[in-house]
Structures are given as C-alpha cells and as structure tokens.
C-alpha cells in the first residue's frame, strides 16, 4: 500500500518532468538544438499564471488565467527565438547550449525581481482536495497532472507526425539547407516551435505550482527533466514522457529504501547507464544513413 | 608588419614566432613575479584568485577549445582535486607529493569517465558530464570520512623545505607558488599543442572523420584530452582549496561549471591566451560591480545591493552578447584589432566575415 502511494505521487511528478522534457524534445526535433532554459521557462510560466490568477495580484479566474499565461509564454518563447536564438543560426550546437543557460539566469533574475525569492502558492480551484481510494490518497492535482500530460503528449505527437508544419519542422532539423531548398520556411517554423514549447512549459509550470509552492529556483528541475528526455531518447515525444515517468517513479522509491543522496543521484545514474548502454535512448531516433 | 623567414622545421614550430615575442613573455613573467612588492594584500589575493581561475580555464580549454568536447561539469574535477589534495595532506604527505597526486587522481577520474563518454558526441557528452557533476556532488556528501560531508574540509597549510606558503600567513609566497604552477602549466600546454598529440586534438575537433582517415585513434585521443583537461582542472581545484582554506561541497556548485565555461567562451575558444583573458574578466567584473555599487550609493543614492543576483545577470548578458556578436571571444577580437593595425590602412571589413553555415542532423550517421 505504501509502495502504491509512493508510485502515485511519483507518477504525477514524473508527468511534470515529462512535460518539461517534451519542451526539450520539441525544440530538439525542430532545430536539433537543446534549450537548457526550458526549466526556467516553466518557472516563468508558473509565475505568469500566478501573477494573473492569484487574488493579491490581478485576480483573474483560474480558467482564464492559465490560457492567458500560455499565450504570454508563447510570445516569450517566440520572441526569444526571434531576438536571440535566430542570430546564432547555423553555429555549432554548444553555442546554443551556453546561450540558453545564460538566458535561464536572465529569466530567473526577472522572476526574482518581480515576485521575490520567498516561495509562493498558486490558488487553484482543485488545490488541497483529495480522493481516497481504499487507503490510497490521491490529490486532484495529481490526477489532473497525469491526465493533462497524456492529452498533451498525444496531441503533440500527432502534430509532429501528421500536420504539414510538424513535418516541416522535422525536415528542418534533419538538414536545414535541404529543407530550405524544398521550400520549408525554416526560420518561421523555428519561431513557432519555440513559442509552442513556451506554452507547454507554462502548462508544466501550472501543474507543478498546483502541487506545491514555487520560487524562482524551481527552474533547476529542468536538469532532471533533461535527464528524463535523454533516458527516453532525445527526439522522441513518447520517449520523453516515458523517461519522465521512469525518473518520477525511481526517485521516491530510491528515497524510501536508500539514503537521500542516492535518491538525488538516481535520475543521473539511470541516465548514465542508458547513455552507456543505449546512447540514443530507450526509444531510439538515430538511424544509420543508407547510401 | 614583420616578415618571418623560416629556414628549418624547428624554426617553423618554435613556440615564439620571433625573439621579440619571447622577450615580451619574459617581461610579462618578470612583472608578474614583482607584483607582491607593488600590490596590497587585498589585490594580491585577487591576483591569486585570477591565476587559479586561469589554471582551471586552461584545463577546460584543452577539452572545449582544442578537442571540441563541451563539458558542463568541470566543477566536479575541481572538487576531486581539492578533496584529494586535502585528504592526502591530512594523511601526512608533503605538498610536493600530494599536489601532483591530486592532479593525477582528478586526471585518471576524468579519463575513466571519458573512455565510455568519448564515444558520445556533441550534446550527449555535455549531458553526461552534467550527470557526473551531480553524482560527484552527492558523493562528496556521502563519503563523509574523507570529505567531511556537509560540514566541510579544511585544507592544511603548505610547507616546502621549511618555508611557509600559507595563504594567510605568507600570501606573497603562496602567490609565487601559484604563479610557478600556472607558468609551468602554460609552458607545457603550449608545447603540447605543437606535438603530435596536440595536433591530433585539433584534428579531432575540426573533423572526426578526417582525423580517423589520417590514422588518429579518435576514442583514445578524446579520452586523453579529457583526462588531461580534468587533471589540470584538478590542480586548480587543489590550489583553490588552499586559497579558500575551509570548504564544503557548496564551493563547487553548478555555477562554477558555468563560470568556467564562461571563462573559455568569453576569453576565446581555442587559444591559451583566451583562458587568461576570461579569468581576468570573471574575477575582475565582480570587483568592478562592487566598486560601482559603492560609488552609486555614495554619489547618486541608488542602492543596488537591494537587487539580489545582479552579478549573475550581468555575466549572463555579457555571455549572450559574446555568443551573438563575437563568438571568437576577447582573444579573437584582439587578433582582428591587431590585424587591422598591422595592415592599416589596407584592412577591409569583409576580411573576418563569418561563413554562412547550416546545421545538419547528428541523428543520421
């Protein structure tokens, strides 16, 4: 029973890791770059939603505040691509890595300057309510996190697999020049994907905030989500979710049966093992080129 | 503009292009050696800090700048170096033995990580090093008997042949010690780059496929470069431990890794000089901010200390600016400036224009 209780909490946690990992994977799918500021975008999204929805700030109703925050973060992601990322177009990957790490610090500073560094709690209509299923207590927040994640993953997967823009984004990531030649507006597609990943990050942020307090440093969760994305296989959306769930489940169980430091290490040990045995992740996207 | 007429291969691969450059290096070393007689205690300590950062920057430069392996976790090797040094000295070994041993331990540790990791390329290696960093950080807390756990570890003071090199007791001596270590490392590094091994590093960085075609063992070269990089960073970590005096795991945070990356990127990737320029920047800017802050408070009455994290913001903005506008870093900018002066008035704007490049996937091999 105790294990089941841990598993439910872990699943909900894992869904949030998975959602942040989805943001990584989307940008990786579209431009083969890694956005290390994804965790900080999640943090910023949560704070925007909090600023719009909480009673002591703007006080909009929750159902209005969240879509509005998503729209704001779409614009932030889109703007970041337009203003900064576009300028290093075509430069080696690690330039983007360093750039996004620096951007993450800027986001953190902005959030800290506006909202301060004391943890804040977001007001949600379902906060603090629990469901009791024969001894296992499940918070509504956990249930909603799991449901929303599954819906979003399927929707994004369909977007990349079936829509014109999704296919164009995949083409752009495999060979920018070739994509240009066949008429893909690579720059526009990139902007759109960055915007979308901002919106997804907001959803993750809101789900995270509804399960506990937030402060500007929760963006560091992005590193863990990144481990999840690598475990699942960078470039695979279902893989990101799978990786997130694995990390989410392993963490509390390791914490239960081993010292706390081991629990902290477990996602990264798992990631190293996956990198060593299956370098391209559980759901592999690397293919040998056929000549 | 000086024309150099090379008559032999030895002349071609000489460390210094001409005698004047050699004299300049000697002059620089002389001035650096005389600093303790000129500077006060506070600024001398800052100079030591800059030297240590330059040493760590050189360590990372071997991996990032010269072999093209991005590491996001070099603070882990700083930590390994510092803890190994403190543990060995506490076990009774003299500094002259424990210091190289600490570097060796960090280097072997780095090489062991690199052997499997070197098969990974690009972004995956960066991720693996990040994971290693987190694991080392937690291991430091777990291995309490050696590292002192959360409480921390004290670096004993250094004595060589009866002369004290304590950071607080004899700062000038400690400064000369650091200077000697940095000068020797720089000399070795510069020599390494003109040896077959160093050339192999560059070949692997520029094109893995062509390096392999030319008979370079890519995996071994990468592991060696990463091991060397970790070793030099470990030496810097050992000195940093002595410099701080009493440290725990919090000293080696993820921010140190990022700062190290900042040193090599802003300084100029692929140049030893870049590591020094970057180190000067990263240790100098916080001082400048502090002075500016005091002046603003006294003069205009604006209290900047009320805004936390301002240093990080400024560093981040500098970094973003450099990546966008000057990816070759401070040293690259200096090279352009020098070419402009030497060619005056013949320099043309398009001389340094970047080539257009497009990204190709790493997922197709």
């Amino acid at each position: 029973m105790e294990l089941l209780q841990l598993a439910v909490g872990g699943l909900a946690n894992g869904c949030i890791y998975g959602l942040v990992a989805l943001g990584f994977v989307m940008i990786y799918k579209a431009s083969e770059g890694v956005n290390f500021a994804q965790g900080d975008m999640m943090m910023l999204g949560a704070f925007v939603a909090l600023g719009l929805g909480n009673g002591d700030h703007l006080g909009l109703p929750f159902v209005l505040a969240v879509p509005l925050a998503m729209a704001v973060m779409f614009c932030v992601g889109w703007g970041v691509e337009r203003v900064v990322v576009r300028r290093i177009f075509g430069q080696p990957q690690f330039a983007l890595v360093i750039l996004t790490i620096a951007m993450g610090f800027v986001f953190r500073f902005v959030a800290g300057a506006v909202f301060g560094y004391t943890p804040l709690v977001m007001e949600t209509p379902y906060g603090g309510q629990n469901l009791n299923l024969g001894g296992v207590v499940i918070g509504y927040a956990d249930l909603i996190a799991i449901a929303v994640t599954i819906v979003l993953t399927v929707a994004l997967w369909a977007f990349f697999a079936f829509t014109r823009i999704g296919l164009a984004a995949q083409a752009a990531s495999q060979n920018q020049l070739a994509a240009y030649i066949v008429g893909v507006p690579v720059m526009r597609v990139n902007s759109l994907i960055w915007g979308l990943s901002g919106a997804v990050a907001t959803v993750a942020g809101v789900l995270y905030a509804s399960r506990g307090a937030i402060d500007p440093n929760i963006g560091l969760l992005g590193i863990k989500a990144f481990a999840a994305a690598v475990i699942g296989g960078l470039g695979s959306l279902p893989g990101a979710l799978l990786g997130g769930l694995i990390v989410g489940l392993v963490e509390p169980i390791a914490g239960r049966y081993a010292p706390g430091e081991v629990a902290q290490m477990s996602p990264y040990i798992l990631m190293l093992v996956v990198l060593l045995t299956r370098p391209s992740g559980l759901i592999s996207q690397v293919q040998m080129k056929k000549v | 503009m000086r024309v150099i007429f090379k008559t032999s291969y030895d002349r071609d691969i000489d460390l210094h292009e001409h005698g004047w450059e050699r004299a300049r290096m000697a002059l620089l070393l002389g001035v650096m050696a005389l600093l303790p007689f000129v500077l006060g205690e506070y600024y001398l300590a800052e100079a030591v800090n800059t030297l240590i950062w330059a040493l760590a920057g050189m360590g990372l430069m071997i991996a990032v700048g010269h072999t093209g392996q991005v590491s996001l976790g070099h603070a882990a090797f700083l930590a390994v170096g510092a803890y190994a040094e403190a543990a060995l000295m506490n076990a009774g070994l003299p500094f002259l033995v424990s210091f190289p041993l600490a570097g060796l331990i960090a280097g072997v540790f780095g090489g062991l990580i690199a052997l499997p990791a070197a098969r990974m390329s690009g972004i995956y290696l960066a991720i693996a090093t990040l994971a290693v960093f987190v694991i080392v950080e937690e291991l430091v807390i777990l291995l309490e008997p050696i590292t002192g756990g959360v409480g921390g570890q004290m670096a004993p003071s250094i004595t060589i042949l009866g002369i004290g090199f304590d950071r607080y007791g004899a700062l000038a001596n400690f400064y000369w010690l650091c200077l000697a270590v940095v000068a020797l490392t720089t000399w070795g590094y510069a020599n390494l780059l003109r040896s077959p091994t160093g050339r192999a590093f560059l070949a692997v960085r520029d094109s893995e496929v062509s390096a392999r075609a030319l008979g370079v063992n890519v995996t071994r070269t990468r592991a060696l470069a990463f091991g060397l990089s970790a070793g030099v960073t470990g030496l810097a970590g050992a000195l940093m431990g002595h410099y701080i005096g009493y440290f725990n795991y919090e000293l080696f945070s993820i921010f140190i890794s990022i700062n190290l990356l900042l040193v090599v990127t802003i300084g100029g990737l692929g140049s030893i000089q870049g590591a020094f320029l970057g180190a000067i920047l990263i240790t100098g800017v916080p001082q400048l901010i502090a002075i500016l802050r005091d002046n603003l408070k006294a003069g205009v009455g604006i209290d900047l200390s009320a805004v936390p994290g301002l240093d990080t913001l400024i560093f981040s903005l500098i970094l973003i600016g450099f990546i966008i506008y000057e990816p070759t870093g401070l040293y690259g900018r200096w090279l352009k400036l020098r070419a402009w002066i030497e060619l005056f008035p013949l320099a043309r704007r398009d001389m340094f224009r970047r080539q257009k490049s497009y990204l190709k996937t790493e997922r197709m091999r």
Side-chain angles (χ1 to χ4, degrees), chain B residues 278-289:
Chain B
I280 292 170
L281 188 100
I282 204 147
T283 50
V285 166
Q287 302 295 329
L288 274 180
I289 294 174

Side-chain angles (χ1 to χ4, degrees), chain B residues 64-358:
Chain B
V64 181
H66 285 118
T67 330
Q69 298 173 294
V70 183
S71 164
L72 295 177
H74 251 55
F77 304 118
L78 277 178
V80 171
Y83 279 112
E85 164 80 358
L88 289 173
M89 279 194 81
N90 281 335
L93 287 176
F95 176 78
L96 282 181
V97 179
S98 69
F99 184 61
L101 258 183
L104 194 69
I105 290 172
V108 169
F109 179 64
L112 282 182
I113 289 165
L115 264 181
R119 282 183 308 169
M120 304 171 217
S121 62
I123 204 77
Y124 284 100
L125 181 70
I127 300 159
T129 52
L130 191 65
V132 168
F133 165 73
V134 178
I135 292 171
V136 166
E137 199 182 19
E138 300 293 336
L139 273 181
V140 164
I141 304 176
L142 271 180
L143 295 175
E144 203 177 331
I146 307 170
T147 61
V150 183
Q153 173 75 284
M154 168 119 143
S157 60
I158 310 165
T159 321
I160 303 170
L161 302 173
I163 306 166
F165 285 85
D166 187 58
R167 176 236 186 287
Y168 294 102
L171 185 60
N173 284 355
F174 187 61
Y175 170 81
W176 280 317
L177 179 73
C178 289
L179 184 64
V181 171
V182 170
L184 279 177
T185 313
T186 314
W187 182 68
Y189 190 0
N191 270 314
L192 172 78
L193 284 184
R194 55 190 198 126
S195 71
T197 319
R199 298 285 158 90
F201 289 177
L202 298 185
V204 168
R205 175 192 68 183
D206 291 339
S207 168
E208 204 183 309
V209 178
S210 7
R212 190 167 280 142
L214 287 168
V216 174
N217 184 340
V218 173
T219 311
R220 219 196 63 192
T221 308
R222 278 199 164 149
L224 180 67
F226 205 82
L228 268 178
S229 164
V232 173
T233 312
L235 289 181
L239 286 180
M240 198 180 266
H242 284 296
Y243 175 73
I244 303 284
Y246 195 89
F247 54 90
N248 71 353
Y249 70 100
E250 280 175 0
L251 175 62
F252 309 101
S253 62
I254 183 81
F255 300 105
I256 300 290
S257 291
I258 308 288
N259 275 356
L260 268 176
L261 217 52
L262 207 103
V263 165
V264 293
T265 338
I266 292 183
L269 284 175
S271 60
I272 302 176
Q273 291 91 333
F276 284 87
L277 291 175
I280 292 170
L281 188 100
I282 204 147
T283 50
V285 166
Q287 302 295 329
L288 274 180
I289 294 174
I291 293 170
L292 200 73
R293 186 177 286 165
D294 291 348
N295 285 348
L296 272 181
K297 206 173 175 182
V300 200
I302 303 169
D303 190 8
L304 281 179
S305 55
V307 188
L310 197 66
D311 296 14
T312 348
L313 179 76
I314 290 175
F315 274 140
S316 311
L317 292 181
I318 292 176
L319 190 57
I320 292 176
F322 264 98
I323 295 240
I324 293 176
Y325 295 108
E326 189 57 274
T328 52
L330 283 172
Y331 189 65
R333 174 49 59 183
W334 159 243
L335 285 184
K336 285 175 195 172
L337 191 72
R338 197 175 63 183
W340 187 83
I341 293 170
E342 280 176 350
L343 294 175
F344 187 81
L346 297 173
R348 288 178 31 222
R349 183 177 299 194
D350 286 353
M351 236 165 44
F352 294 105
R353 207 171 60 179
R354 262 185 278 156
Q355 244 180 352
K356 264 201 174 143
S357 57
Y358 297 92

Side-chain angles (χ1 to χ4, degrees), chain A residues 28-29 31-32 34 36 84 87-88 90-91 93-95 97-99 101-103 105-106 108-109 117 173-177 180 223 226 230 234 261-262 264-265 268-269 271-272 275-276 279 285-289, chain B residues 64 70 72 116-117 119-120 122-124 127-128 130-132 134-135 138-139 141-142 254-255 258 261 265 269 307-310 312-313 316-317 319-320 323-325 327 354 357-365:
Chain A
Y28 189 78
K29 258 180 130 60
S31 61
E32 194 111 330
V34 176
F36 270 88
V84 185
R87 308 244 184 159
I88 59 161
Q91 276 190 43
Q93 271 182 347
F94 84 88
V97 171
I98 299 174
L99 185 80
I101 288 176
M103 256 163 29
F105 282 114
V106 174
R108 210 170 300 164
F109 178 82
Y117 288 90
S173 92
Q174 288 182 4
N175 191 334
Q176 281 177 347
L177 191 58
Y180 261 125
I223 302 178
F226 194 66
V230 173
L234 263 181
E261 286 81 14
V262 176
Q264 289 285 321
M265 281 195 278
Y268 306 100
I269 294 177
M271 175 169 104
L272 275 188
L275 274 178
L276 292 181
Q285 298 283 309
V286 177
Q287 293 142 8
M288 289 309 243
K289 197 181 220 164
Chain B
V64 181
V70 183
L72 295 177
R119 282 183 308 169
M120 304 171 217
I123 204 77
Y124 284 100
I127 300 159
L130 191 65
V132 168
V134 178
I135 292 171
E138 300 293 336
L139 273 181
I141 304 176
L142 271 180
I254 183 81
F255 300 105
I258 308 288
L261 217 52
T265 338
L269 284 175
V307 188
L310 197 66
T312 348
L313 179 76
S316 311
L317 292 181
L319 190 57
I320 292 176
I323 295 240
I324 293 176
Y325 295 108
R354 262 185 278 156
S357 57
Y358 297 92
L359 198 80
K360 263 180 130 178
T361 182
E362 279 187 1
R363 279 179 279 161
M364 298 279 189
R365 297 273 167 79

Side-chain angles (χ1 to χ4, degrees), chain A residues 171-197:
Chain A
S173 92
Q174 288 182 4
N175 191 334
Q176 281 177 347
L177 191 58
Y180 261 125
I181 290 168
V182 297
V184 173
V186 176
M187 300 256 193
R188 274 226 301 275
V189 167
N190 273 356
S191 302
L192 181 78
I193 297 292
W194 273 78
L196 269 182
S197 89

